[in-house]
Amino acid sequence: MQREWIGRTEGAEIDFKVEGQEGAALRVYTTRPDTLFGATFMVVAPEHSLVGSMTTDAQRAAVEAYVQAASAKSDLERTDLAKEKTGVWTGAYAHNPAFEEGDERGRIPVWVADYVLASYGTGAIMAVPGQDQRDWDFASEFGLNIVRTVEPPASFDGEAFTGAGPAINSGFLDGLGVDEAKARMIAQLVERGVGQAKVNYRLRDWLFSRQRYWGEPFPVLHLEDGSHVRVPDGDLPVTLPEMEDFKPSDDGSAPLARAKDWVVASDPSGGGPARRDTDTMPGWAGSCWYYLRFMDPKCATAPLSPEAEEYWGNVDLYIGGTEHAVLHLLYARFWHKVLFDAGVVKTKEPFQRLFNQGMLTAFAYKDGTGRLVPADEVNLEADPPVSKATGERLEQVIAKMSKTLKNVVNPDDVCEKYGVDTFRLYEMFMGPLADSKPWNPRDVPGSRKFLERAWRLFVDPDADEPLRPGLGDDSGVTPEGPALDVERALNQCLQRVDDSFKAFNFNTAVAAFMEFLKGASSKGLNGSQASRFVRAMAPFAPHFADEIWSRMGHAGSVHHAAWPAVDERFLESDEFEMPVQILGKLRAKVMVSREASRDEMEAAARAAVADRMEGKEVVKTIVVPGRLVNFVVK
RNA sequence: GGGGAUGUGGCGGAAUUGGUAGACGCAUCGGACUUAAAAUCCGAAGGCCUUGGCCGUCCGGGUUCGAUUCCCGGCAUCCCUACCA
């Protein structure tokens, strides 16, 4: 994603002479120099610096009106109206350098249109309607010439053809493929001094100053002669002054400018008068390196000490939404790389692992016309849900939480009704962390019910005791009988919990807890098992676990207790239920020892499906040790 | 238009390296307890024919003894971004 955002493209810059404009050529950037013969007009952005001088008197009024209108539109409006192409001819002609001087085919009109952006490339394009759909649209709209310079396949019935094919109508390029034609054209442009190969980036500048109070002040002093110097290291950091009123001002000046005493400083070299810079840095200034400062927040002499960096290393795991992938995370990497080059940090990358969590969505309801109905107008008691107003049956769909749909879930309300542990447990139970998934209010009580059941495993509701007898003593005893079954179940549960941390699918850990609880409820726990179960539950239901932990007689928090280890001796039982297949289809199941040999497995399998095998010839037998047996028959 | 991801019951979702599809939960249905209800506990349950089968992981092909999983080609949905030349 970051690669796309940086948006490296390879192409060429080409200069077009404009009639009547000596010296000032119109420079364009293109990724398709091979299509130059098909450039039948040019378009410049309304903000382009040559618009004024190129425009002829006859066209001046129309062009000025168009430029005016474009500048009044916000970026949003300009892209909003993207469907229809608008533009005005400047009255000027340029010469397409693919053709000889004086060749009528090379005389092409120059237009102004807002589909060309001033902020990308050179703010001007050569329009090749035959190979670019936007140019095709514009040409159709205004009756401009269209020449194909790439031969589309016979089956092609579209408009602009952007695919690969042999060059046509292109003089010395005819017959060449796209890549070869690009290279030849660039070589020729270079030879004639009217163009060169060029790499372009989509990455945009990002303004780094704000006229707000909250933010880091720039450690910069303005001197009387208009120059500026850095605040000396010994005077760092520059801290914000205390201000009564730190709201942004109406005229756009920085709030800090009103802190008159603070602004006054002196030139560190000469002692003459100086003024502090009153702009502050934006929020992302801090977000670009906070993870470093967190390693050593009190260090007074550097961003962080080498010892702190050594100890904490670089960030093991960064969990964030994908919305951060191209802005915050890209710029944090930039900063880190600069700090690496400056010798401040020892690593080239800030984060060892990035994990994008999914987005929580919510159910929304659609009526027959496809309109989304706000949640408060839906009767959810009905099945299927119906509109409260009309009684119409509604289709349940998944949508982003939004104010207009009134399907936003407020965590406070959920915690108020079910408790924080239930809220947390439900979120973990919903599905894998990476997936986006819908919040279903109906499912939440299930998590609450599980916690209540787990509570009763430890606390007898009919007794006055803080804990069921025996659960406070966690001395290890070799389990036997029913306790052995529980021991196996517990270790399998702990194994699944550990696995869930590795895969970030905590839902399977919660499922493991639920399954374990079902067995343990009827058989009971010993103290050691109770202790391990509670410790494993701690990350999932922290308050629940801490309460039980203290009732077990521990002084400290369960969150400081050791993580329960899996004892592999108890992971697997001696026997397993082996599936027997014929031609890949399940035909029987039979209990077999885990240690059974291939022959033993096959014999058990044959016995289990003997009646089905009568009169059939076994062509092949597949035995997967510890797994299954499959007979291929004729 | 570009990029990223995802398609499994009524719903959220399970399923190491290809090896019992549907774990766990919700909703549903049945039972126990109760004067009754709530709560709690126990049980049933993918679909279609009937006592043993057939069909089933978005659709169509392929590889394989065996495909939710691997390969090829489609379709759909979500997120981000966008006249990027």
Side-chain angles (χ1 to χ4, degrees):
Chain A
M1 279 177 83
Q2 295 192 351
R3 181 170 296 123
E4 289 303 317
W5 187 263
I6 293 168
R8 184 183 197 273
T9 53
E10 289 179 15
E13 278 189 343
I14 305 173
D15 291 334
F16 287 63
K17 279 189 191 154
V18 181
E19 286 179 15
Q21 300 273 313
E22 292 312 316
L26 196 49
R27 176 167 292 188
V28 303
Y29 174 72
T30 178
T31 54
R32 293 294 301 275
D34 58 304
T35 64
L36 183 57
F37 280 94
T40 52
F41 60 101
M42 299 184 76
V43 185
V44 300
E47 296 86 354
H48 197 278
S49 59
L50 292 180
V51 169
S53 58
M54 283 190 305
T55 302
T56 58
D57 291 342
Q59 289 298 103
R60 187 162 301 280
V63 168
E64 280 174 1
Y66 184 80
V67 170
Q68 184 90 40
S71 68
K73 285 192 230 170
S74 67
D75 280 0
L76 201 69
E77 285 170 323
R78 270 164 79 155
T79 54
D80 240 19
L81 302 169
K83 293 96 208 161
E84 274 183 30
K85 296 276 185 289
T86 61
V88 179
W89 181 38
T90 61
Y93 284 95
H95 175 72
N96 181 342
F99 297 97
E100 298 288 323
E101 296 266 1
D103 188 331
E104 245 333 274
R105 289 175 299 169
R107 189 168 189 254
I108 59 176
V110 182
W111 286 63
V112 179
D114 65 4
Y115 82 93
V116 171
L117 306 177
S119 56
Y120 182 76
T122 61
I125 62 161
M126 60 179 219
V128 187
Q131 271 78 233
D132 185 295
Q133 188 60 42
R134 293 156 305 174
D135 297 343
W136 178 287
D137 294 341
F138 192 81
S140 320
E141 182 76 30
F142 296 101
L144 297 162
N145 209 8
I146 298 175
V147 177
R148 288 196 192 280
T149 56
V150 177
E151 174 106 69
S155 59
F156 182 74
D157 65 345
E159 299 179 332
F161 175 67
T162 55
I168 52 172
N169 301 322
S170 295
F172 71 100
L173 298 179
D174 279 353
L176 296 176
V178 170
D179 290 339
E180 178 68 15
K182 278 183 187 175
R184 292 274 195 95
M185 178 56 88
I186 289 173
Q188 213 235 23
L189 292 169
V190 169
E191 192 177 312
R192 290 163 50 205
V194 291
Q196 68 272 318
K198 165 87 176 171
V199 172
N200 211 0
Y201 297 93
R202 204 175 65 125
L203 195 66
R204 290 168 297 191
D205 288 344
W206 199 359
L207 189 68
F208 194 63
S209 60
R210 300 285 184 273
Q211 290 73 51
R212 293 206 201 138
Y213 176 80
W214 293 112
E216 300 85 342
F218 289 92
V220 167
L221 297 172
H222 296 264
L223 306 183
E224 278 199 314
D225 63 1
S227 67
H228 28 73
V229 295
R230 278 176 40 209
V231 171
D233 287 358
D235 295 342
L236 294 178
V238 178
T239 53
L240 288 169
E242 301 251 355
M243 292 180 75
E244 292 281 329
D245 173 22
F246 46 77
K247 292 200 182 72
S249 52
D250 296 333
D251 63 2
S253 65
L256 287 181
R258 298 199 299 270
K260 303 269 187 257
D261 295 345
W262 181 81
V263 168
V264 174
S266 61
D267 180 350
S269 54
R275 293 174 54 82
R276 291 189 189 282
D277 194 284
T278 56
D279 280 357
T280 54
M281 300 184 204
W284 59 275
S287 72
C288 280
W289 73 291
Y290 73 91
Y291 58 91
L292 290 175
R293 188 62 179 173
F294 279 13
M295 296 177 194
D296 199 3
K298 299 229 162 84
C299 182
T301 53
L304 80 167
S305 65
E307 295 76 31
E309 192 197 0
E310 180 71 26
Y311 180 79
W312 293 103
N314 58 1
V315 174
D316 295 283
L317 171 67
Y318 193 105
I319 300 184
T322 175
E323 71 274 13
H324 287 141
V326 284
L327 294 177
H328 160 53
L329 287 172
L330 182 62
Y331 290 99
R333 287 181 66 208
F334 283 174
W335 279 47
H336 197 91
K337 285 170 184 301
V338 168
L339 291 172
F340 172 79
D341 290 342
V344 177
V345 295
K346 296 183 195 70
T347 51
K348 285 187 180 175
E349 289 283 345
F351 313 121
Q352 293 183 45
R353 181 172 177 197
L354 172 66
F355 187 89
N356 286 134
Q357 91 267 39
M359 190 173 50
L360 283 190
T361 52
F363 289 123
Y365 302 90
K366 227 183 212 175
D367 65 16
T369 66
R371 192 183 71 98
L372 289 166
V373 181
D376 60 350
E377 294 171 22
V378 180
N379 178 5
L380 296 171
E381 303 297 312
D383 196 19
V386 296
S387 160
K388 278 184 189 167
T390 65
E392 187 192 348
R393 307 172 104 203
L394 301 173
E395 189 198 347
Q396 181 178 275
V397 295
I398 289 171
K400 261 210 277 197
M401 292 190 190
S402 77
K403 282 181 189 163
T404 45
L405 286 179
K406 301 201 173 64
N407 60 356
V408 175
V409 175
N410 180 355
D412 287 348
D413 297 342
V414 181
C415 293
E416 179 70 27
K417 193 164 174 191
Y418 298 105
V420 194
D421 280 354
T422 298
F423 178 78
R424 181 186 179 94
L425 191 73
Y426 172 63
E427 280 198 312
M428 298 177 101
F429 188 48
M430 288 174 79
L433 185 61
D435 293 1
S436 90
K437 43 208 172 291
W439 183 278
N440 188 351
R442 278 189 176 190
D443 285 344
V444 180
S447 295
R448 169 78 193 195
K449 230 155 77 182
F450 164 71
L451 286 176
E452 285 171 357
R453 235 175 262 158
W455 180 260
R456 289 197 297 272
L457 180 66
F458 291 97
V459 182
D460 183 348
D462 299 325
D464 230 1
E465 305 297 319
L467 204 65
R468 290 186 189 271
L471 298 189
D473 171 21
D474 66 356
S475 55
V477 189
T478 309
E480 316 175 318
L484 178 60
D485 294 339
V486 174
E487 188 64 31
R488 283 198 181 118
L490 178 60
N491 279 285
Q492 275 158 13
C493 171
L494 293 176
Q495 181 66 54
R496 287 171 71 186
V497 173
D498 283 352
D499 291 345
S500 85
F501 285 132
K502 289 182 196 113
F504 294 93
N505 54 357
F506 309 122
N507 53 324
T508 60
V510 179
F513 285 132
M514 288 171 168
E515 280 176 67
F516 172 71
L517 178 66
K518 203 178 273 179
S521 296
S522 54
K523 290 170 181 155
L525 297 178
N526 67 33
S528 158
Q529 291 159 348
S531 164
R532 281 173 284 158
F533 181 61
V534 168
R535 280 180 277 152
M537 283 274 290
F540 297 84
H543 301 88
F544 164 91
D546 226 5
E547 175 64 25
I548 300 286
W549 190 248
S550 93
R551 288 180 183 225
M552 285 175 164
H554 299 283
S557 164
V558 69
H559 305 298
H560 292 143
W563 184 251
V566 175
D567 187 337
E568 296 195 357
R569 288 174 303 162
F570 297 106
L571 269 188
E572 291 194 333
S573 48
D574 311 333
E575 290 193 307
F576 77 105
E577 193 177 45
M578 182 183 76
V580 182
Q581 297 179 336
I582 296 175
L583 287 171
K585 296 202 176 193
L586 179 68
R587 289 302 180 219
K589 293 175 186 177
V590 58
M591 292 306 291
V592 166
S593 162
R594 261 188 206 282
E595 261 81 60
S597 68
R598 300 179 82 99
D599 289 347
E600 286 165 343
M601 284 174 69
E602 185 177 339
R606 262 180 204 280
V609 294
D611 50 332
R612 291 169 178 279
M613 306 278 272
E614 271 173 47
K616 303 237 170 87
E617 185 197 343
V618 176
V619 184
K620 195 175 173 187
T621 304
I622 287 126
V623 180
V624 185
R627 265 269 147 89
L628 56 59
V629 174
N630 183 20
F631 294 109
V632 184
V633 300
K634 256 206 295 216

